Amino acid sequence: MAYALAAAIAMPLSRPASATDQIDLDGNPANGAESKIVTRVLQSYPVKIENVITNNAIGKSFVFDWDGAGPGGFDSFVTPGPDVGTKWEWTTISQVYSILSPVIFRLSSRGIPVVGTSPGGIRGGDGTSGGTFMVAGKSISPTQVTVSSASLTSSLITFFSPEKTVATCGGTYAPGRFEQTITNETGGTFDVTVEQPDCCPEAQMTICDDGCQFYLTDRHNCGGCGVECAFDEFCSEGACEPICPPGQSLCGETCVDLTSDPGNCGACAAACDPLYRCTAGACEPDCPPGHTLCGEICVDLTSDPDHCGACGTECGTLYVCTSGACESTCPPGETVCGEVCSDLLTDEANCGACGAACDPLYRCTAGACEPDCPPGHVLCGQTCVDLLSDEANCGACAAACDPLYRCTAGACEPDCPPGQTLCGQTCVDLLSDEANCGACGTQCGTLYACLSGTCTSTCPLGETVCGDVCADLQSDPLNCGTCGHSCGANQICTAGGCQTCRPPTGTACDNRCVNTHTDPLNCGGCGNVCDFSGCPSTGQGTCSQGDSCVCSPLAATSDVLLFAPLAPQPPPRAAQATQAPDRDRPTPRAAASTQARTPVARAASPRTTDAAGRRESRPTRGARLGSAAVSVVEAPVCDVTPLQQTIPPGGTFTRCQAGAIAGKEVFTIATIVQDGKPVAKGPCSLIVPAPETVIPPFLPSPVGVFVLDESGDGLCQPGEACQMFVSVQNIGTAAILNPIGTLASPPDAFNPLPLVFTSDTSTYPDFPAYGAGGDCDTQPQIDPKTNTLAYSVILPHEQEPDIGRVFALELLGDNGGPVTATMPFVLGVGKACNPATDIDGKTYDGLAGFLSPVDAQLVPEGGPVRYSSGSFNQTKTIPLKVRLSCGTQALGLVGVDPAPQIIAVVHATLGPQSLANINGANGANPNDPAFQCSTNGCEFQLRTRDLPIGVYVISVRMPDTRVFQAGFTLRP
């Protein structure tokens, strides 16, 4: 299962669902929900996801397993409530979509009582208390983005009053340089493991229960997991082989030479008879030279008439054995026929062949029986006729012409109208008749029409006739690029070329790369569709680890149904011959309706492993890889070396690796253990070198995407109009002049709704050719270019929120001729804030500021800074005002915690300035950088007396930790 992208019981949501789930752990609605689970998008680019689990159960604690919280899942614990919680924030450049997955609450190993009993939860079979609830989650779909510069970070955060970051995992990538960083912000030492799942360190390995094994050479897993070679065997090319010297084979417990051992001649236990010897692996008798044993006697096969050339081959009475062949004793020109010699050329009893007698009125001439007819005539029955003109025998005896035909030159010719030809019993136009196109019997196929005597394809534009189907050579895996060119295993056809599927979607099914461990339409194998028709009406269904389908419960039920997926059925032969292959993805219900089945009910865990499935598919001992009994899945080679590190309190571990100019995203799983007990596990995305990337003259790579939206919070929401600035780095080998970018976001399986672009085109500054990259000692030079005119787009109101949507930027430039390249990137889509459920101090979807008198729009950090048009004098206090809102409700004294805080004041030429003495509010600590919030919003009185005159950019951290910036000018 590549990357474990979703939980064992998880499925994509078919329509937008709330990213906030209220969980009633004890099943008592009178005391409300004890936990709230949130998964949402915090940042546009790279997409940042926040997964939060809170605990409001007074004095009670629990641990949780949330496999659908992202790649690798999120496992941790919360301390006794109320108002505490744990969250994991992670970033990605992959497409993000929503799924439905279970979260399991169970008894803490720390011995703290757990909440959640039936009916609000499920009591486990081992007597522990716990609960399983279906909630919204997140999964990813890789976009194969080529990266030159990116920084991805994951963080474990607790809010046990106050909120605190416990650990961070991530890395930065720049051309030629990959740096991985892990920090420990706890008060104690912890051990951390960061590893890429479902891969092996080297090629020719497979994943078994005890880890990665070399299935070609490992005697304990020879040819497959658990295949054990005998004590005197070794594993060679995935098969158990005996341990014997060269030229010998193991028979019993002895090594023998099968070519000469009379007791094991050619095979073990194949003993020769006493009078035979073993020669070249065969038992041969001891006959004199030139003789062969036939039965119990030695004979000369070259002259013995009873054994001529081979034992038992007897020559007849008129034959002798000469040089091992029976030869006739008849005079020259005669042949043995039975007991006589006959001249086959003239003998009317044996004319042309023995026993071929001529009729009484025929004579044998040159070995053929011929009648006596006049010249130009032939005997037909008892009559000589002229085959050239006889209409009863036209061209051949008994070949009578029809009444309307005449015999001309030995052929019956019809009287067809001009321009038509007789085909069978019909006059047809060979220029247009599809059953006789160009010639009688030349039938055009179902995909052809007859035009001017030629069968012409009727395939749609862009498709080619391949056999009996119309095929798109750009995307048909059975006809990829050319007819009959079939893509290999785990390959799909894209742009006329076969492309290998890579983890996490490592299996090619119906020309799509899918994860057969989680895809209910390809569960465990292509076309294996989960049949959910037997699921309870209140349940859900999914593919579990690729070996079974699961009907999972909702909160009010306790049964879990597990059943096998529905294997694909071949279409009828007639349908195959007349229809093009169906390339549409089947729907689970349609597939399920073709075969009614009764699911077998049994308890199932969402963490069920595939060990049993592996054991069932193990080959027998000694089987070779080429045999049908063997089924070995070679694991992909890991892109990242596993990391195990002990980090002291407040410590940071950094690992640098010099690499390629281009990078790619790889998902790893970070596991934190403290004092021997697991603290948390969660996704940690990294950008690693991609040396296999071919660098063309123009290769654009996304560096940053900055969003200016109507609500001002830096996140596009459904129904909003947004402006985008896309920074691009060219890591190609050539300079590109006069570039123009066109932005699009075509609908796909996860985002079927189109977007409305009010401005999709902009120019860019010239892209220089990229020079040499950096390494661990040298920082590479990054010179990204940003569009001069903002791209403007309107998201539909029905757009699913809290996901990452794929955009494609097509760039056209000049390099001595037109040059084009398309750069995909993923943009996070936010969600409108609901005042009834989302006010928690940190959640907002509207940001206005700085308000009058500054009048400078705050933009996300890294975006194009907006400057105030006002003039502010040194020594004066500048009122910086911001207003946060959740939906239509303004946030102030309630709903903002912590308050916004100034984290940097940077002079354009002098750099960062001290934050001491900048708070000029009456009665406030002058060194306090926090805003004061009221019902009218939040305000900070910026004291400027210690600031030099000049242009400034001020950075403000909002309650959700995001940083926004704006600029102003300070004059004398």
Side-chain angles (χ1 to χ4, degrees), residues 834-878:
N834 184 350
T837 58
D838 296 338
I839 295 181
D840 55 9
K842 301 172 181 60
T843 302
Y844 60 94
D845 65 351
L847 171 60
F850 293 131
L851 302 175
S852 178
V854 177
D855 288 326
Q857 181 182 357
L858 286 164
V859 299
E861 184 179 27
V865 176
R866 302 299 177 91
Y867 289 87
S868 172
S869 60
S871 179
F872 303 97
N873 297 327
Q874 190 185 31
T875 74
K876 299 295 185 181
T877 298
I878 305 176

Side-chain angles (χ1 to χ4, degrees), residues 943-954:
R943 180 182 290 159
T944 64
R945 68 185 184 188
D946 295 331
L947 298 177
I949 61 173
V951 178
Y952 285 88
V953 173
I954 187 167

Side-chain angles (χ1 to χ4, degrees), residues 296-367:
E296 299 296 328
I297 61 173
C298 292
V299 299
D300 185 350
L301 298 179
T302 65
S303 60
D304 193 313
D306 296 320
H307 305 280
C308 188
C311 291
T313 301
E314 297 184 15
C315 295
T317 55
L318 296 178
Y319 288 85
V320 295
C321 185
T322 304
S323 300
C326 293
E327 294 185 354
S328 169
T329 58
C330 289
E334 293 190 4
T335 301
V336 176
C337 288
E339 301 291 331
V340 299
C341 294
S342 174
D343 185 349
L344 301 181
L345 298 177
T346 60
D347 190 344
E348 293 181 353
N350 300 280
C351 187
C354 291
C358 294
D359 288 341
L361 299 179
Y362 284 71
R363 66 177 180 273
C364 185
T365 303

Side-chain angles (χ1 to χ4, degrees), residues 705-718:
V705 181
F706 312 109
V707 174
L708 300 177
D709 61 312
E710 290 178 315
S711 59
D713 67 340
L715 276 171
C716 279
Q717 301 171 13

